[in-house]
């Protein structure tokens, strides 16, 4: 069973990102959306944690949310950019979805 | 594949409804089916027909209504959450002796069982909230 | 009707926002559908279960007694994340003692609460088919 985790909160405002990392097992995907995209930007502790996370966990960010916030050029390495169609595909490819609200 | 969607936040205050809308549109475009969209918590406020956003802003309620119309979507507003927050359809307003109703076209009011059923009947449930 | 694994993930404390109360309402209604239900309390969600809540002076209804009725609704798998409790300086003694009666064992009273580590709960979460987050 593979799980898609979505995070919609800034890692600077809430510990949701850290909590989610504890739940992201190998084979799962973590998708950053809305204010969650700030975790995907360079020179942040969150991006560092993504870099050091298990290679079995896939990290993705919702491109439209990154663009909206003016941070497309600040995308950290190791994070896949998806659009809404890609979001839909991730939901379909995984067995279930946990939204870290 | 069959999706259900749960929306926990009202329009404008939080991006949840916008994201859910873009997600639903993309899912339909990719050929998926949407079994039901369930509005809960402040999410029930997505279904008021009395919202008038500025002309240069998106009209979230109208977007949902149009998407539902074009794709024959089942959009359900939770009755318990709706009654707390003053969302009424005509029947309920009459039953409660109220002088107005405010449900937008394409939405219907029903019980929480519809959310559980949405989870049972769909292949995936995706929750959007705060 | 198919039986699915449903998990309700509770991460918000009560009273400050309505999520805890309205999540509980879903759990109660959902019980009628005879699904395989688990509740998870993570982060501030563990505050929903503290003993001795008294809401009189804030003018809200105290809904904490409802949790002790969950066993009667056959909601018997209540997972509490150990790390969340510890971070908050709490132990199980600070929480309500939730039980259910096992019909198959002459209505023996059993604990509903399962104190599990984050890693253990991650495994349980990964087995779920439907996750409702509040």
């Amino acid at each position: 069973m593979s799980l898609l985790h979505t995070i919609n909160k800034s890692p600077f405002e809430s510990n949701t990102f850290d909590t989610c990392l504890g739940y992201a097992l190998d084979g799962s995907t973590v998708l950053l959306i809305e204010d969650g995209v700030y975790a995907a930007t360079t020179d942040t502790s969150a991006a560092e944690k993504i870099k050091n996370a298990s290679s079995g966990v896939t990290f993705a960010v919702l491109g439209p949310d990154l663009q909206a916030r003016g941070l497309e050029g600040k995308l950290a390495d190791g994070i896949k950019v998806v659009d809404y169609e890609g979001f839909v595909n991730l939901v379909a490819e995984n067995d279930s979805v946990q939204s870290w609200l | 594949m069959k999706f259900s969607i749960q929306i926990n936040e009202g329009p404008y205050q939080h991006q949840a409804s916008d994201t859910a809308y873009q997600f639903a549109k993309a899912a339909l475009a990719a050929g998926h089916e949407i079994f039901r969209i369930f509005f809960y918590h402040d999410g029930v406020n997505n279904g008021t027909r009395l919202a008038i956003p500025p002309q240069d802003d998106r009209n979230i309620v109208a977007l949902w209504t149009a998407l539902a119309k074009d794709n024959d979507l089942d959009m359900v507003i939770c009755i318990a959450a709706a009654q707390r927050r003053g969302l009424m359809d005509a029947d309920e307003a009459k039953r409660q002796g109220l002088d107005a109703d405010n449900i937008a076209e394409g939405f219907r009011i029903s019980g929480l069982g519809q959310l559980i059923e949405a989870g049972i009947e769909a292949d995936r449930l995706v929750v959007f909230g705060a | 009707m198919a039986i699915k694994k449903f998990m309700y993930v509770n991460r918000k404390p009560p009273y400050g926002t309505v999520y805890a109360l309205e999540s509980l309402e879903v759990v109660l209604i959902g019980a009628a559908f005879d699904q395989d239900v688990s509740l998870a309390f993570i982060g501030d969600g563990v505050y929903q279960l503290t003993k001795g809540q008294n809401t009189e002076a804030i003018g809200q209804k105290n809904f904490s007694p409802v949790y002790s009725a969950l066993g009667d609704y056959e909601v018997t798998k209540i997972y509490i994340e150990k790390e969340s409790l510890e971070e908050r300086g709490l132990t199980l003694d600070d929480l309500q003692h939730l039980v259910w009666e096992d019909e198959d064992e002459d209505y023996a009273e059993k604990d509903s609460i399962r104190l599990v580590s984050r890693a253990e709960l991650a495994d349980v979460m990964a087995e779920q088919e439907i996750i409702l987050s509040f």
Side-chain angles (χ1 to χ4, degrees):
Chain A
M1 297 281 286
S2 66
L3 194 51
L4 173 66
H5 301 262
T6 69
I7 302 174
N8 70 344
K9 287 172 207 30
S10 163
F12 303 104
E13 194 214 38
S14 127
N15 65 5
T16 295
F17 175 80
D18 291 326
T19 304
C20 173
L21 286 192
Y23 281 85
L25 304 176
D26 280 359
S28 65
T29 299
V30 175
L31 173 64
L32 305 165
I33 68 170
E34 298 171 354
D35 288 350
V37 303
Y38 295 116
T41 55
T42 48
D43 298 323
T44 61
S45 60
E48 192 62 25
K49 285 171 188 167
I50 290 173
K51 207 173 90 185
N52 297 329
S54 162
S55 60
V57 180
T58 304
F59 288 87
V61 63
L62 194 56
D65 279 328
L66 200 59
Q67 286 160 20
R69 288 159 177 80
L71 293 167
E72 213 178 0
K74 298 276 285 176
L75 177 67
D77 289 340
I79 303 167
K80 194 170 86 175
V81 180
V82 297
D83 56 11
Y84 288 103
E85 190 187 347
F87 185 176
V88 170
N89 292 340
L90 285 174
V91 171
E93 288 161 10
N94 286 278
D95 296 303
S96 56
V97 185
Q98 153 65 353
S99 307
W100 289 92
L101 304 182
Chain B
M1 194 170 266
K2 215 190 283 183
F3 292 153
S4 284
I5 292 171
Q6 178 187 338
I7 301 174
N8 290 347
E9 296 300 322
Y12 306 106
Q13 174 81 18
H14 191 280
Q15 201 185 340
S17 184
D18 292 291
T19 305
Y21 173 79
Q22 300 296 343
F23 179 89
K25 217 170 72 166
L28 292 164
H32 296 292
E33 184 189 332
I34 294 180
F35 176 76
R36 179 168 296 147
I37 302 175
F38 192 86
F39 295 86
Y40 197 43
H41 302 300
D42 274 1
V44 299
N45 292 315
N46 286 287
T48 174
R49 63 181 165 81
L50 301 180
I52 306 175
Q55 278 191 344
D56 60 352
D57 198 356
R58 76 253 187 250
N59 186 329
I60 296 178
V61 178
L63 286 171
W64 279 121
T65 294
L67 193 70
K69 200 170 185 176
D70 293 346
N71 299 281
D72 199 20
L73 299 182
D74 186 23
M75 300 199 300
V76 176
I77 290 173
C78 169
I79 188 161
Q83 285 184 333
R84 281 197 178 108
R85 295 166 176 84
L87 265 282
M88 292 286 151
D89 62 11
D91 286 347
E92 188 61 19
K94 205 171 162 186
R95 201 164 29 241
Q96 301 285 349
L98 297 167
D99 61 359
D101 60 81
N102 56 352
I103 288 297
E105 192 187 336
F107 294 84
R108 67 185 176 93
I109 290 193
S110 190
L112 273 172
Q114 301 271 308
L115 171 60
I116 307 298
E117 190 194 46
I120 295 170
E121 294 297 330
D123 300 305
R124 300 283 184 277
L125 174 84
V126 191
V127 186
F128 296 91
Chain C
M1 202 181 280
I3 293 183
K4 281 193 173 178
K5 282 175 173 289
F6 270 70
M7 176 176 267
Y8 298 89
V9 178
N10 297 285
R11 297 181 59 238
K12 299 189 173 88
Y15 310 117
T17 56
V18 78
Y19 301 104
L21 168 63
E22 288 189 335
S23 165
L24 191 54
E25 289 178 350
V26 180
V27 174
L28 297 178
I29 297 285
F33 287 78
D34 293 328
Q35 300 294 302
D36 181 358
V37 172
S38 303
L39 267 57
F41 292 88
I42 302 171
D44 284 348
V46 301
Y47 287 127
Q48 292 183 28
L49 297 175
T50 54
K51 281 196 274 211
Q53 294 178 21
N54 178 355
T55 59
E56 221 174 285
I58 64 165
Q60 288 192 33
K61 189 171 85 178
N62 178 0
F63 58 89
S64 66
V66 179
Y67 294 103
S68 60
L70 287 174
D72 300 336
Y73 285 83
E74 287 174 40
V75 175
T76 62
K77 287 182 280 191
I78 298 179
Y79 294 93
I80 312 257
E81 195 206 73
K82 200 162 162 269
E83 288 85 339
S84 299
L85 266 193
E86 283 170 3
E87 276 166 14
R88 287 161 182 77
L90 300 175
T91 68
L92 277 188
D93 286 342
D94 297 304
L95 306 186
Q96 297 189 57
H97 181 213
L98 304 181
V99 294
W100 62 288
E101 291 176 349
D102 191 344
E103 284 178 39
D104 299 333
E105 289 184 26
D106 198 23
Y107 296 92
E109 214 170 65
K110 295 188 172 173
D111 280 334
S112 302
I113 289 185
R114 304 171 187 205
L115 185 66
V116 292
S117 70
R118 184 169 288 186
E120 289 168 322
L121 192 47
D123 287 334
V124 178
M125 187 184 281
E127 292 165 6
Q128 304 300 317
E129 295 173 274
I130 296 294
I131 305 176
L132 293 155
S133 322
F134 296 96

